[in-house]
Amino acid sequence: MTQTREEKKRQTRKAIIAAAVRLFDLKGFEKTSIEELAKEAGIGKGTIYTYFQTKSEIFYAFCEEQLEFIHEELARKTDPSAPLIEQVMTIFMGEFLHVTRNKEFGRFFMQQVLFPPEGDRNRFAEVDNKWLELLFSIYQKAQQRNELRSDIDLLYLAGHFYALYVVVVSSWYAGRIETEEVAPGMRMLFEQVLEGLAPSPQAISA
Amino acid sequence: MTQTREEKKRQTRKAIIAAAVRLFDLKGFEKTSIEELAKEAGIGKGTIYTYFQTKSEIFYAFCEEQLEFIHEELARKTDPSAPLIEQVMTIFMGEFLHVTRNKEFGRFFMQQVLFPPEGDRNRFAEVDNKWLELLFSIYQKAQQRNELRSDIDLLYLAGHFYALYVVVVSSWYAGRIETEEVAPGMRMLFEQVLEGLAPSPQAISA
DNA sequence: CACAAAAATCGACCGCGGTCGACTTTTTGC
DNA sequence: GCAAAAAGTCGACCGCGGTCGATTTTTGTG
């Protein structure tokens, strides 16, 4: 039966990820060796490479699972009728809290998503798309409510907010801001980008 | 004489960096082994570790040199009387071109600067400060010329522009945009952030 | 059921980054 | 000038990520 083999493979794959979740959480990513991982999953070292090409890929697989869950949760939590800034705060702060729950994971994740190695470009493409869809719908509705300019492409709008999110996370990782400063800092940046950095035209004409 | 020893150490250190520049450029960072590096520098493998604690540190040292040079050049190139957007375009495009001259270097550099490992937090602090000083002076002058709101902290202003720079570089690394799209994309984002993402107040009252 | 093809399993092995302790050179104090 | 201490040099060695080919297990076919 063709079923048996596929089924077993799926189970083994799951076992590896499960082992990874346990050990990465316990000892961290770097300090967990492939051999330990294999042992924990009850297979030989070489067999790991039937399922994942590199150690990073195991981490990616774990991330994908997590992200799918996180994004679903955030989509549920977000109130589509709330003001734009509340919605983006909910989403990005939620993402921040999840991503940085395990500091090492978060760092590696951000590094790989933002500046992926040549081969891994589309690694998170699928998850990213769902993510973008959610944000797009938020921005689009904000445009319709006239909270956002309609002459700016959705992709650019997404870029602006994401950019600020990234620098906030980066500032946290670089130790330039403390955890309590993240939310107020992010909110202030979002407010500022909405209003614009240039003085408002009235102020000039006034 | 105390001089001899220190002098020799300085020379050896330089020799290592010189070897690194040559070999990293030739074969890339990952593909250059410490042993090769040592051989090229004319010393033993273990000796490298008297001068640098990890392979990454050699790269950092190289980066610091480069950055100092780049920032000086950019400071010279920038016309303090030009409109703000021209100045930031000059600076960030200059930075982009230098950072991405060697793709692998640029990736690693961005990853480390934005999301540094726990121990390496202040690795680039010194260079960063000079960098920030240059930008601060630009933003401050723009505030005085009323091109930028004066009620926003310089650090936040810097954050806004830097954030956009980062997402542009990230988009390039992730293959979402081509090299030719970098400059126009960055310019458009800068223009938008200056104007603000929200519709202008007149538009609302109109 | 038989048996060849295909796929999966495995651990010995490789190369690399980094460590360590034995050895050499330089500095210090008298 | 010399002996002890301090600092520098080195390559054998360790552990890890990843490869490979020999072996076992599963699948498709008559």
Side-chain angles (χ1 to χ4, degrees):
Chain A
M1 14 168 172
T2 294
Q3 213 53 9
T4 310
R5 194 189 197 115
E6 289 301 313
E7 181 58 26
K8 205 180 157 205
K9 279 202 75 172
R10 232 173 291 124
Q11 279 182 0
T12 303
R13 200 188 142 90
K14 268 197 174 176
I16 295 173
I17 295 186
V21 170
R22 252 173 291 148
L23 291 184
F24 287 176
D25 221 47
L26 194 65
K27 318 179 47 181
F29 175 69
E30 310 252 10
K31 296 208 167 184
T32 302
S33 73
I34 295 275
E35 218 152 356
E36 286 174 298
L37 214 48
K39 202 170 182 182
E40 178 85 7
I43 57 178
K45 179 182 176 181
T47 308
I48 294 257
Y49 289 88
T50 307
Y51 296 86
F52 301 95
Q53 287 183 16
T54 67
K55 193 183 177 188
S56 302
E57 289 227 349
I58 302 173
F59 172 74
Y60 291 154
F62 166 73
C63 279
E64 271 170 28
E65 269 196 1
Q66 291 289 302
L67 285 182
E68 212 147 325
F69 169 74
I70 293 172
H71 291 169
E72 259 175 46
E73 185 190 284
L74 290 181
R76 268 189 291 104
K77 260 195 191 168
T78 313
D79 173 9
S81 66
L84 171 66
I85 191 158
E86 299 306 331
Q87 288 189 54
V88 290
M89 280 299 293
T90 302
I91 290 206
F92 285 114
M93 278 307 295
E95 177 99 358
F96 171 79
L97 289 176
H98 273 104
V99 164
T100 59
R101 188 201 299 266
N102 180 320
K103 201 161 187 179
E104 194 192 9
F105 275 21
R107 172 165 37 236
F108 193 61
F109 174 69
M110 295 297 287
Q111 286 177 349
Q112 298 307 310
V113 168
L114 286 170
F115 307 101
E118 217 64 27
D120 296 6
R121 276 192 177 178
N122 296 322
R123 175 111 328 255
F124 292 110
E126 200 184 325
V127 201
D128 270 1
N129 281 342
K130 278 203 173 176
W131 177 238
L132 269 183
E133 269 176 39
L134 169 62
L135 287 172
F136 272 18
S137 85
I138 289 179
Y139 299 138
Q140 201 157 27
K141 281 177 195 149
Q143 281 183 329
Q144 286 161 9
R145 290 201 306 269
N146 205 35
E147 280 195 87
L148 281 178
R149 286 165 57 183
S150 296
D151 62 324
I152 301 183
D153 192 278
L154 282 175
L155 204 56
Y156 277 79
L157 285 174
H160 280 284
F161 288 104
Y162 186 61
L164 293 176
Y165 166 70
V166 169
V167 290
V168 169
V169 179
S170 164
S171 297
W172 183 79
Y173 266 104
R176 287 193 296 273
I177 61 173
E178 297 301 317
T179 305
E180 318 86 60
E181 303 176 80
V182 169
M186 194 186 289
R187 181 179 291 270
M188 175 149 294
L189 286 168
F190 284 157
E191 285 170 357
Q192 289 168 350
V193 80
L194 284 170
E195 300 164 0
L197 304 184
S200 62
Q202 313 106 297
I204 290 178
S205 63
Chain B
M1 15 168 173
T2 296
Q3 211 54 9
T4 310
R5 194 186 198 115
E6 289 300 313
E7 180 57 26
K8 204 182 157 202
K9 279 202 76 172
R10 231 174 292 126
Q11 278 182 1
T12 303
R13 198 189 145 90
K14 268 197 174 176
I16 295 173
I17 295 185
V21 171
R22 253 172 291 147
L23 290 184
F24 287 176
D25 221 50
L26 193 66
K27 318 179 49 182
F29 175 69
E30 309 253 10
K31 296 209 167 184
T32 301
S33 74
I34 296 276
E35 218 153 355
E36 284 175 301
L37 214 47
K39 202 171 181 181
E40 179 84 7
I43 58 178
K45 179 182 176 182
T47 308
I48 293 258
Y49 289 88
T50 307
Y51 296 87
F52 300 95
Q53 287 183 15
T54 66
K55 193 183 178 188
S56 303
E57 289 227 350
I58 303 173
F59 172 75
Y60 291 154
F62 166 73
C63 278
E64 270 170 28
E65 269 196 3
Q66 291 289 302
L67 285 182
E68 212 147 326
F69 169 74
I70 292 172
H71 291 169
E72 259 177 45
E73 187 190 284
L74 290 181
R76 268 190 290 105
K77 259 196 193 168
T78 313
D79 174 9
S81 67
L84 172 66
I85 192 161
E86 299 307 329
Q87 289 188 54
V88 290
M89 280 300 293
T90 303
I91 290 207
F92 285 113
M93 279 307 295
E95 178 98 357
F96 171 78
L97 290 175
H98 274 104
V99 164
T100 58
R101 187 202 298 269
N102 181 320
K103 201 163 188 178
E104 194 192 9
F105 275 19
R107 170 164 39 235
F108 192 61
F109 174 70
M110 295 297 288
Q111 287 177 349
Q112 297 308 310
V113 168
L114 287 170
F115 307 101
E118 217 64 26
D120 295 8
R121 275 192 177 179
N122 296 322
R123 175 115 322 260
F124 293 109
E126 200 185 325
V127 201
D128 270 2
N129 282 342
K130 278 202 174 180
W131 176 238
L132 270 183
E133 270 176 39
L134 170 61
L135 288 172
F136 272 17
S137 85
I138 289 179
Y139 299 139
Q140 201 158 26
K141 281 177 196 150
Q143 281 183 329
Q144 287 160 7
R145 289 201 307 269
N146 205 35
E147 281 196 86
L148 281 177
R149 288 165 55 184
S150 296
D151 62 324
I152 301 183
D153 192 277
L154 282 175
L155 204 56
Y156 277 78
L157 284 175
H160 280 284
F161 287 104
Y162 186 61
L164 293 176
Y165 167 70
V166 169
V167 289
V168 169
V169 179
S170 164
S171 298
W172 183 78
Y173 267 105
R176 288 193 297 273
I177 60 173
E178 297 300 319
T179 305
E180 318 85 59
E181 303 176 79
V182 169
M186 194 186 291
R187 180 179 291 270
M188 175 150 294
L189 286 168
F190 284 157
E191 285 170 357
Q192 289 167 350
V193 80
L194 284 170
E195 299 164 0
L197 304 184
S200 61
Q202 314 105 297
I204 290 176
S205 62

